[in-house]
């Protein structure tokens, strides 16, 4: 059995990456899988953040395990530069795995399976709608992390270059801050609609948040993402695992 970890304080994006890494590895190896919740001291009740709109298979109940695997984390000059850990391929049966597992090489060979595992009700978004994935909240506290108005303006200009009549919808965890950035666009603060819109819209501009990654990779449409991912403002690649060849980085 391969067992993945959910931390109570994790957001949906992190949870889903951990989940699919667990299932992909178990499927590749021909093992059973299961998931467990770990109390990380965040003071939140254990629970899957996508339960209101996504029904996923939790695998089998977890009993005794013999091994533990931790994704290799690399920090250089205070910046997290982790990427794909090839030791992932040598994980044995009866192992609990811990890591973010967001590098595309962990799961890209099974995207058809991932699409079935993360099945949601489709949305008809139309061909002239661009969804803007704006991450506010705690990101606003970190100048290195929080994307500037210039990034969003550049992305919107590029989309209007594709279609001068492009319509924009802002999908966000923080509608108050989003309205300050996008006073002329409608803002949607609903986790199910946010994820499903990202999954089915033809065009998207996304923040440096794991929430938006999987729905956009499953979508296959045009996605604009921030160059350097979590450190666009300082022009140093943080988390090169979050480079996806399908995205356009600006």
């Amino acid at each position: 059995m391969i067992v993945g970890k959910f931390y109570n304080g994790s957001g949906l994006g992190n949870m889903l990456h951990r989940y699919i890494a667990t299932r992909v590895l178990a499927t590749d190896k021909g093992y059973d899988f299961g998931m467990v919740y770990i109390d990380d001291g965040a003071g939140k009740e254990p629970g899957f953040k996508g339960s209101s709109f996504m029904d996923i298979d939790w695998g089998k109940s977890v009993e005794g395990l013999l091994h533990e695997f931790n994704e290799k984390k690399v920090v250089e000059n205070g910046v997290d530069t982790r990427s794909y850990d090839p030791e992932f391929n040598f994980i044995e049966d009866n192992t609990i795995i811990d890591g973010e597992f967001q590098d595309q090489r962990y799961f890209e060979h099974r995207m058809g399976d991932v699409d079935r595992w993360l099945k949601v009700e489709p949305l008809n978004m139309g061909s002239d709608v661009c969804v803007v994935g704006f991450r506010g909240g705690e990101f606003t506290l970190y100048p290195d992390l929080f994307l500037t108005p210039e990034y969003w303006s550049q992305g919107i200009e590029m989309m209007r270059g594709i279609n001068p009549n492009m319509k924009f919808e802002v999908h966000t965890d923080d509608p108050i801050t989003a309205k300050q950035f996008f006073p002329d666009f409608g803002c949607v603060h609903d986790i199910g609609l946010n994820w499903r819109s990202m999954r089915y819209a033809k065009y998207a501009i996304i923040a440096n948040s794991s929430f938006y990654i999987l729905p956009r990779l499953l979508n296959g449409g045009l996605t604009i993402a921030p160059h350097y991912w979590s450190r666009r403002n300082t022009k140093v690649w943080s988390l090169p695992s979050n480079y996806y060849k399908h995205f356009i980085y600006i």
Side-chain angles (χ1 to χ4, degrees):
M1 172 179 276
I2 302 297
V3 176
K5 290 182 178 180
F6 282 159
Y7 288 94
N8 296 354
S10 293
L12 178 61
N14 288 343
M15 284 186 167
L16 290 180
H17 277 97
R18 288 169 171 270
Y19 174 74
I20 67 168
T22 303
R23 288 203 67 173
V24 165
L25 180 62
T27 302
D28 287 348
K29 299 281 191 178
Y31 302 153
D32 293 327
F33 82 97
M35 302 297 298
V36 295
Y37 286 99
I38 305 296
D39 186 356
D40 57 5
K44 298 181 180 180
E45 291 295 322
F48 176 54
K49 301 297 194 300
S51 60
S52 64
F53 68 97
M54 184 184 296
D55 184 17
I56 64 176
D57 180 2
W58 296 109
K60 295 192 173 182
S61 60
V62 177
E63 298 178 358
L65 296 168
L66 299 177
H67 313 289
E68 184 168 353
F69 173 84
N70 294 286
E71 182 186 28
K72 185 178 180 181
K73 183 175 181 178
V74 180
V75 178
E76 298 179 356
N77 298 320
V79 176
D80 189 342
T81 61
R82 86 179 77 186
S83 57
Y84 180 71
D85 186 347
E87 287 300 314
F88 187 79
N89 297 287
F90 300 96
I91 294 173
E92 303 175 70
D93 197 5
N94 294 319
T95 298
I96 187 167
I97 64 173
D98 193 4
E100 300 306 335
F101 305 117
Q102 293 180 15
D103 193 295
Q104 196 167 0
R105 286 170 286 184
Y106 288 119
F107 53 80
E108 63 182 342
H109 59 292
R110 289 199 177 273
M111 289 304 289
D113 291 322
V114 172
D115 196 14
R116 290 190 292 274
W117 297 339
L118 306 186
K119 184 178 180 180
V120 294
E121 184 180 355
L123 281 177
N124 183 2
M125 299 294 294
S127 60
D128 61 349
V129 175
C130 173
V131 291
V132 178
F134 179 84
R135 178 64 185 270
E138 70 272 20
F139 276 35
T140 63
L141 303 175
Y142 301 97
D144 289 354
L145 181 64
F146 187 51
L147 293 168
T148 65
E150 176 270 333
Y151 167 74
W152 301 108
S153 296
Q154 186 178 350
I156 289 168
E157 182 179 355
M158 290 176 64
M159 288 296 182
R160 284 178 169 156
I162 296 170
N163 178 359
N165 297 314
M166 189 77 77
K167 302 171 185 175
F168 295 89
E169 291 182 2
V170 180
H171 289 261
T172 181
D173 64 320
D174 184 352
I176 294 175
T177 305
K179 265 301 181 184
Q180 297 172 14
F181 277 67
F182 311 101
D184 299 325
F185 301 157
C187 291
V188 180
H189 176 45
D190 179 299
I191 191 170
L193 281 176
N194 296 155
W195 204 93
R196 291 167 59 220
S197 296
M198 281 287 161
R199 171 66 183 84
Y200 289 104
K202 185 176 181 180
Y203 302 102
I205 309 167
I206 64 171
N208 42 7
S209 168
S210 63
F211 180 89
Y212 305 111
I213 295 169
L214 286 171
R216 292 313 299 169
L217 290 177
L218 290 168
N219 176 284
L222 193 153
T223 302
I224 292 175
H227 193 186
Y228 305 105
W229 196 246
S230 291
R231 293 295 181 271
R232 185 180 190 272
N233 300 341
T234 57
K235 295 180 170 52
V236 175
W237 263 106
S238 176
L239 295 173
S241 55
N242 293 122
Y243 171 79
Y244 305 99
K245 54 192 175 185
H246 171 71
F247 293 172
I248 296 173
Y249 288 85
I250 63 172

